Amino acid sequence: MKLSKLFWPVVGAAAIVFSVWILYHDLKGLSYYEFRDSLLAIPPSGWLLAAAATIAAYAALAAYDHLALEHLGHRISLWFITVASFTAYALAHNIGASVFSGAVVRYRAYSSKGLSASEVGVLVAFCSFTFALGTAVLFGLVLIIEPEIIERFAAFLPIEAAFSTGVLILFLVALYIIGSLVGFRPIHTRWLHLEYPRPSVAVRQLLIAPVELLAAAAIIYFVLPAEGNPGYLVVLGIFLASFSAALLSHAPGGIGVLELIFIAALPELEPVDVLAALAVFRVFYLIIPFVLGLGAVFVFEHARYTQMRAKEDDRA
């Protein structure tokens, strides 16, 4: 086996071990009963709002795929796109190495609708870029509106640096939209055809991209205690930083990484309350979708197998 194939699994494992080790030393006095009490303290409205935010997040992810397919010029039923996107993200978020694992699911699904391997590759890249675009937009806005958030991560940095960084990020996003309006030439290679999104697609990317992240952060915000809660914008900023770090670490489900950053960045809240909120996030955003995604894979593969057997029987 090549060392390059082991690189990301090793990085993911190291991130988990390092994060869990630090969390163990920070939380070794925590008891199960405290954690249980924090979960029980979440009001019914918090659970309901968190569930609604989860649905909104995955609906936005389905819109990523829909835009990508429109960009490629393919028309596929909205129901199929929703199920395929949901399954791809549900499995990728839990397995880790989300770009690769999500690509495998998408190829299996969309190739059955006539997409080539290169088109699926463009679709995956488009969706990944849409996510990055949403992250950039929200990072920029948070740093401009709430520049003090930088002190939660790096107290030695001046607040002015956060504000100017936010302006720079939004400027780069604006350049992307301008590039769409100008209409750069497509890139043709033997294996790939890349075309700059049309202005109508690029603008909808800009509008849809942040929705998934806004909703995902809201899951955590809705179940955090009201007392000491720093506000949605701060929770959003911490979520963007922790979720990005979790993706870069390739740790399955971002386990340990999310908890480490959230607890460190929310000193005004009890660690057990933060852990309880993240546990709810994991159940709603990761575990339940993962189980449903596995069910969708089983149904899809069973249907494909039945079709294949039917064709073989017809030939016979």
Side-chain angles (χ1 to χ4, degrees):
M1 183 180 289
K2 293 182 179 180
L3 290 177
S4 59
K5 293 182 178 180
L6 293 173
F7 179 74
W8 288 118
V10 170
V11 169
I16 293 173
V17 171
F18 177 72
S19 301
V20 171
W21 180 75
I22 294 179
L23 285 171
Y24 170 76
H25 285 276
D26 289 344
L27 305 173
K28 56 185 177 182
L30 179 68
S31 72
Y32 161 77
Y33 297 102
E34 290 177 303
F35 179 74
R36 182 198 62 185
D37 291 343
S38 292
L39 285 175
L40 293 175
I42 299 172
S45 60
W47 291 96
L48 291 174
L49 288 170
T54 304
I55 294 172
Y58 275 94
L61 289 173
Y64 287 13
D65 282 41
H66 185 272
L67 271 181
L69 288 164
E70 182 179 334
H71 172 64
L72 289 168
H74 284 274
R75 289 185 176 276
I76 299 175
S77 73
L78 183 59
W79 171 249
F80 186 91
I81 294 172
T82 301
V83 174
S85 170
F86 172 83
T87 304
Y89 282 110
L91 298 185
H93 286 158
N94 285 275
I95 295 172
S98 57
V99 173
F100 174 75
S101 52
V104 172
V105 176
R106 283 192 174 92
Y107 177 75
R108 184 66 178 157
Y110 291 126
S111 62
S112 70
K113 296 297 182 180
L115 269 72
S116 65
S118 62
E119 286 178 319
V120 173
V122 172
L123 183 145
V124 171
F126 185 97
C127 291
S128 297
F129 181 78
T130 302
F131 170 82
L133 185 67
T135 303
V137 169
L138 292 178
F139 253 133
L141 290 175
V142 168
L143 289 174
I144 289 173
I145 300 171
E146 196 80 33
E148 295 83 4
I149 197 173
I150 196 70
E151 296 176 346
R152 295 174 181 269
F153 303 102
F156 59 89
L157 291 177
I159 293 176
E160 293 76 12
F163 184 87
S164 58
T165 301
V167 172
L168 176 61
I169 291 172
L170 293 184
F171 174 73
L172 294 175
V173 172
L175 287 181
Y176 170 70
I177 300 299
I178 292 171
S180 176
L181 294 171
V182 170
F184 290 117
R185 292 181 179 179
I187 299 173
H188 292 278
T189 69
R190 181 179 177 184
W191 305 108
L192 198 62
H193 173 74
L194 286 177
E195 192 170 325
Y196 211 99
R198 301 185 303 279
S200 61
V201 173
V203 170
R204 275 181 289 165
Q205 268 186 297
L206 192 64
L207 296 174
I208 292 171
V211 173
E212 189 268 333
L213 292 161
L214 289 169
I219 300 171
I220 301 171
Y221 172 74
F222 286 138
V223 294
L224 282 171
E227 186 177 352
N229 193 315
Y232 176 71
L233 268 182
V234 172
V235 173
L236 173 63
I238 297 170
F239 176 80
L240 292 172
S242 61
F243 201 67
S244 299
L247 288 176
L248 291 173
S249 73
H250 289 265
I255 187 168
V257 180
L258 284 175
E259 288 79 3
L260 178 64
I261 295 177
F262 255 96
I263 289 173
L266 287 175
E268 59 267 74
L269 291 173
E270 291 294 330
V272 67
D273 293 329
V274 178
L275 278 181
L278 291 174
V280 174
F281 171 78
R282 288 192 176 282
V283 169
F284 281 176
Y285 190 80
L286 298 174
I287 297 175
I288 293 176
F290 182 66
V291 173
L292 294 175
L294 289 177
V297 169
F298 175 80
V299 171
F300 177 79
E301 293 299 338
H302 182 267
R304 294 281 290 174
Y305 175 76
T306 303
Q307 291 174 358
M308 183 182 68
R309 287 298 302 270
K311 288 180 180 179
E312 290 178 352
D313 291 342
D314 290 341
R315 291 194 192 101

